[in-house]
């Protein structure tokens, strides 16, 4: 029996939700390359965020285009990848889908208090916790027509990856599937 190839995936959500940790674990589990989208930010974006200034759509567009190209190139090469990217707005996700129509969004979802505690407990190169509220106000929930898995960040990372993989193991992932803790 052959297994259908995995679709390209974006592990998404606001800062502090665990995109890098979960994306890396998911990549290991599924045998897929993982890339942290933060590494694709231009230096100007990193400097702006590091100064506590939220990015605007003009700042984000070249970064999202680069992420879309990375996803498309990996898919074209027959090795779809997983990439961490906040993908906060529908328009950002639409832009990524222009590059890779079959992309699946894995939305790591949690409450503000949990996210803030996580952000305050880490040392991030350019994302201060002062930007959390800006990200939360920008976040647009995934819609029914966007292929996605909603994942609860209160689960331990290994349990969260188990839950995500359970949903992804279904040959045809239902649009709007939810992973609950």
């Amino acid at each position: 029996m052959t297994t259908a190839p995995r679709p390209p995936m974006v592990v998404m959500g606001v800062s502090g939700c665990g995109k890098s940790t979960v994306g890396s674990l998911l990549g290991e589990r599924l045998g897929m390359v993982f890339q942290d989208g933060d590494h694709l930010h231009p230096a100007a974006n990193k400097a702006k965020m590091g100064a506590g200034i939220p990015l605007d759509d003009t700042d984000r567009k070249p970064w999202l285009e680069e992420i879309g190209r990375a996803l498309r190139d990996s898919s074209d090469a027959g090795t779809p990848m997983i990439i961490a990217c906040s993908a906060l707005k529908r328009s950002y996700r639409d832009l990524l889908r222009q590059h890779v129509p079959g992309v699946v969004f894995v939305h790591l979802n949690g409450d503000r208090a949990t996210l803030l505690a996580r952000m305050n407990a880490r040392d991030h190169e350019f994302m201060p916790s002062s930007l959390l509220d800006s990200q939360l106000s920008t976040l647009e929930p995934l819609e029914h027509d966007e292929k996605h898995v909603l994942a609860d960040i209160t689960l331990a990372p290994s349990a969260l990856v188990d839950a995500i993989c359970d949903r992804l193991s279904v040959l045809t992932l239902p649009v709007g599937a939810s992973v609950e803790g």
Side-chain angles (χ1 to χ4, degrees):
M1 174 170 69
T2 60
T3 307
R6 298 275 182 206
M9 291 179 233
V10 171
V11 178
M12 64 162 284
V14 299
S15 187
C17 70
K19 294 182 295 291
S20 299
T21 299
V22 172
S24 179
L25 291 171
L26 192 58
E28 288 174 20
R29 177 79 59 86
L30 298 175
M32 296 174 70
V33 170
F34 168 74
Q35 182 169 11
D36 191 327
D38 281 350
H39 300 304
L40 299 175
H41 268 295
N45 283 9
K46 291 179 182 182
K48 192 172 183 178
M49 289 183 287
I53 302 168
L55 300 179
D56 61 26
D57 289 354
T58 303
D59 299 320
R60 285 188 181 101
K61 188 169 193 305
W63 174 63
L64 292 166
E65 291 285 358
E66 184 66 27
I67 288 171
R69 282 189 295 275
L71 288 166
R72 183 189 62 230
D73 291 349
S74 69
S75 292
D76 288 350
T79 55
M81 70 186 310
I82 298 170
I83 195 161
C85 170
S86 53
L88 298 176
K89 287 184 178 181
R90 171 70 189 239
S91 62
Y92 305 164
R93 298 186 298 267
D94 288 345
L95 187 152
L96 295 173
R97 269 191 295 276
Q98 288 175 7
H99 289 276
V100 281
V103 67
V104 172
F105 293 93
V106 177
H107 181 191
L108 305 182
N109 192 32
D111 64 77
R112 183 186 183 280
T114 301
L115 294 161
L116 186 59
R118 287 180 175 194
M119 289 182 78
N120 286 332
R122 70 181 191 173
D123 182 28
H124 194 277
E125 174 190 4
F126 56 82
M127 192 64 181
S129 59
S130 61
L131 291 178
L132 177 60
D133 288 331
S134 169
Q135 286 207 328
L136 288 169
S137 67
T138 300
L139 178 64
E140 295 175 357
L142 286 138
E143 297 180 30
H144 71 280
D145 64 333
E146 296 182 88
K147 194 178 262 193
H148 71 277
V149 173
L150 183 61
D152 178 358
I153 66 166
T154 61
L155 293 172
S158 61
L160 184 53
V161 169
D162 288 343
I164 293 166
C165 287
D166 285 347
R167 293 304 303 143
L168 293 173
S169 68
V170 178
L171 183 58
T172 305
L173 183 69
V175 170
S178 179
V179 176
E180 301 296 329

